[in-house]
Amino acid sequence: NAGVTQTPKFQVLKTGQSMTLQCAQDMNHEYMSWYRQDPGMGLRLIHYSVGAGITDQGEVPNGYNVSRSTTEDFPLRLLSAAPSQTSVYFCASSPGAEMGYGYTFGSGTRLTVV
Amino acid sequence: AQSVTQPDIHITVSEGASLELRCNYSYGATPYLFWYVQSPGQGLQLLLKYFSGDTLVQGIKGFEAEFKRSQSSFNLRKPSVHWSDAAEYFCAVGPHPSSGTYKYIFGTGTRLKVLA
């Protein structure tokens, strides 16, 4: 089925470990984003990309890296995990950055850092 | 600064009753406006969107929303709530071509409980 695929669905990390959250879409969407969702805080933008090779920071980029080598993939890297990064992470894509299309969301990755 | 406010954290309604979820935004120009729904353990699903034209927009699952420029509001409504509507609802603003930004901003969400 067409859509946004996130892996893994669940992950437990120890403080200081690194990992990559994967995100792939098969809709040829130019715009992709990563959000974290925490209770009472809604969704906060971590990083976004308006096309292959172009990325920029959102509201809460510290501790995270991204790259966009292809249109389909937009991985999120945690460099050195901290308990404050315990959250649910969502990847989302849209046909264009400023065309009012709205997002298609993945089903999320629940990350726990101990 | 751009922002979205959902003043109600929790709302409880009886099945069959009407529903209105509030959303206020702060933006330099008329933004694109969205409502999303999130069922437990799931990602967000787009309910409806507005960016021009008729200020009353229809969405999926029987939802509608009305844009009021004078009040900077985009409230979500449903005439008769079903038990399956229990979920969390998010209002969001999206980048307008005149904004110079590419960021979608989300509100903090309203959790809807439906009583049988």
Side-chain angles (χ1 to χ4, degrees):
Chain A
N1 292 335
V4 178
T5 302
Q6 291 185 238
T7 56
K9 294 190 181 302
F10 301 93
Q11 183 70 49
V12 178
L13 286 180
K14 294 182 179 180
T15 298
Q17 286 185 317
S18 63
M19 79 159 295
T20 299
L21 280 62
Q22 300 292 343
C23 175
Q25 53 89 10
D26 57 3
M27 299 171 285
N28 201 33
H29 285 178
E30 290 294 323
Y31 186 65
M32 297 185 75
S33 302
W34 277 102
Y35 288 86
R36 59 177 291 173
Q37 183 178 29
D38 302 290
M41 304 191 75
L43 280 80
R44 293 183 291 169
L45 181 63
I46 305 171
H47 286 285
Y48 65 96
S49 169
V50 299
I54 306 170
T55 64
D56 205 347
Q57 297 180 350
E59 305 169 73
V60 289
N62 293 340
Y64 307 95
N65 273 357
V66 293
S67 60
R68 184 95 180 270
S69 56
T70 66
T71 299
E72 295 77 21
D73 300 300
F74 191 45
L76 178 72
R77 296 181 186 86
L78 280 70
L79 308 174
S80 177
S84 61
Q85 293 178 304
T86 293
S87 186
V88 181
Y89 291 84
F90 288 100
C91 179
S93 73
S94 176
E98 50 181 341
M99 298 299 289
Y101 291 107
Y103 276 132
T104 298
F105 278 86
S107 58
T109 295
R110 185 174 295 273
L111 176 68
T112 302
V113 183
V114 297
Chain B
Q2 300 150 1
S3 65
V4 178
T5 302
Q6 294 180 246
D8 303 306
I9 299 174
H10 297 281
I11 283 187
T12 300
V13 300
S14 297
E15 190 171 21
S18 63
L19 172 70
E20 182 169 26
L21 303 182
R22 296 184 290 165
C23 173
N24 293 96
Y25 67 89
S26 174
Y27 207 80
T30 300
Y32 296 127
L33 294 159
F34 305 86
W35 275 99
Y36 290 83
V37 60
Q38 184 182 30
S39 299
Q42 302 296 315
L44 282 71
Q45 180 185 20
L46 180 65
L47 278 176
L48 48 78
K49 61 184 179 183
Y50 170 82
F51 46 87
S52 67
D54 193 346
T55 56
L56 184 65
V57 294
Q58 304 295 322
I60 62 172
K61 305 185 183 208
F63 285 92
E64 67 179 25
E66 185 172 14
F67 169 64
K68 293 186 177 180
R69 184 191 305 274
S70 62
Q71 298 176 19
S72 297
S73 69
F74 188 57
N75 294 348
L76 182 71
R77 302 195 296 244
K78 188 169 185 178
S80 178
V81 170
H82 188 263
W83 65 266
S84 60
D85 294 324
E88 191 158 19
Y89 293 81
F90 291 91
C91 182
V93 298
H96 190 272
S98 65
S99 69
T101 179
Y102 298 103
K103 300 177 183 178
Y104 286 78
I105 305 298
F106 284 80
T108 52
T110 298
R111 186 171 297 277
L112 174 66
K113 182 177 180 179
V114 180
L115 300 177

